[in-house]
Amino acid sequence: MTTLLAATIVFLATHFITSTPLRPVIVSRIGEWPYRGAYSLVALVTLVWMGWAYANAPREQLWVGIREIPYLVMPLAFVLIACGYFRNPTMVGAEKLLKSEDPARGMIRITRHPIMWGIMLWAGAHILARGDLKSAIFFGGFLLLAGLGTILMDSRKKSNPDWARFAAVTSNLPFVAIAQGRNRFVWREIGWARPLIGLAVFAVFFAAHAWLFGARPY
């Protein structure tokens, strides 16, 4: 369990380095693209280490898992992730979308971080369903990464002159901007194709879960 905890801490530290003063220092020394390449490699290595540690850690049950949770939450998580990959101004390299006449469209009207919220739902569902210590550490790492990631992403992008206009009509928390009247829900902008892609991916992972991860979906 100690190895899993260490791997999770290193995994989180690797991802949060982009929000510290250390990032510009490294970029100034080696350049932007070499930094991105090194960052991706280190992130992959720490993720593999984290997965290996999780697979080999003993299972210590903390509570009776709520096995029905993933069936209810996971489809929504995959829909958010699938929709978030299309026209998302918060993604790296998509800042030019902030200059568009209506930057908050589709799923972005609901939350400006649909991918991160999808990851949070995915991780939270696994924690509640499994109810053991190693799952709380492993999936808790992803939950913390996505949750704090939304806040840090907003903080980094505040320097963009177009961010204030975008933030004024969007919200981090789902549906808050709509409830406050700063935006509205427009289903035709979301459509059916992207949610169906998300549901199809969920169905594949659900059917192959035991083969891919050596465990049932819950």
Side-chain angles (χ1 to χ4, degrees):
M1 202 67 70
T2 302
T3 302
L4 174 59
L5 183 59
T8 302
I9 293 173
V10 174
F11 174 76
L12 290 172
T14 299
H15 285 77
F16 287 134
I17 194 174
T18 58
S19 301
T20 68
L22 186 59
R23 183 189 189 281
V25 173
I26 298 175
V27 171
S28 66
R29 296 285 182 85
I30 66 175
E32 178 66 29
W33 287 106
Y35 164 79
R36 291 189 184 186
Y39 169 82
S40 299
L41 178 60
V42 172
L44 177 61
V45 170
T46 56
L47 178 61
V48 171
W49 180 28
M50 189 177 168
W52 174 86
Y54 174 76
N56 288 277
R59 185 170 184 178
E60 300 177 16
Q61 203 69 31
L62 299 177
W63 65 83
V64 178
I66 309 173
R67 297 182 175 182
E68 295 79 14
I69 288 291
Y71 300 100
L72 301 174
V73 175
M74 292 296 289
L76 177 58
F78 275 86
V79 167
L80 284 170
I81 293 172
C83 291
Y85 273 106
F86 296 91
R87 202 181 185 282
N88 187 344
T90 64
M91 293 182 67
V92 176
E95 289 81 3
K96 62 181 181 181
L97 291 174
L98 293 173
K99 297 182 179 295
S100 62
E101 182 178 349
D102 188 4
R105 294 175 58 83
M107 194 63 72
I108 305 301
R109 293 183 184 275
I110 297 175
T111 170
R112 58 177 170 258
H113 297 294
I115 295 176
M116 291 300 186
W117 277 96
I119 294 173
M120 281 189 273
L121 289 176
W122 167 78
H126 279 77
I127 293 173
L128 293 176
R130 298 190 62 83
D132 58 5
L133 179 58
K134 72 174 186 176
S135 294
I137 296 174
F138 181 80
F139 293 105
F142 286 98
L143 185 64
L144 182 62
L145 173 66
L148 289 180
T150 63
I151 299 173
L152 294 175
M153 288 168 67
D154 286 356
S155 178
R156 289 199 305 269
K157 292 181 180 293
K158 283 182 179 179
S159 60
N160 188 312
D162 299 302
W163 178 256
R165 181 171 64 95
F166 175 71
V169 295
T170 60
S171 61
N172 184 347
L173 295 175
F175 294 104
V176 169
I178 295 175
Q180 293 177 340
R182 295 186 286 117
N183 211 318
R184 66 189 190 282
F185 180 77
V186 183
W187 175 258
R188 67 176 180 275
E189 293 178 358
I190 299 174
W192 293 99
R194 296 165 189 172
L196 286 176
I197 290 173
L199 292 176
V201 174
F202 163 72
V204 171
F205 270 87
F206 182 84
H209 199 281
W211 178 73
L212 289 172
F213 306 108
R216 289 175 291 177
Y218 50 79

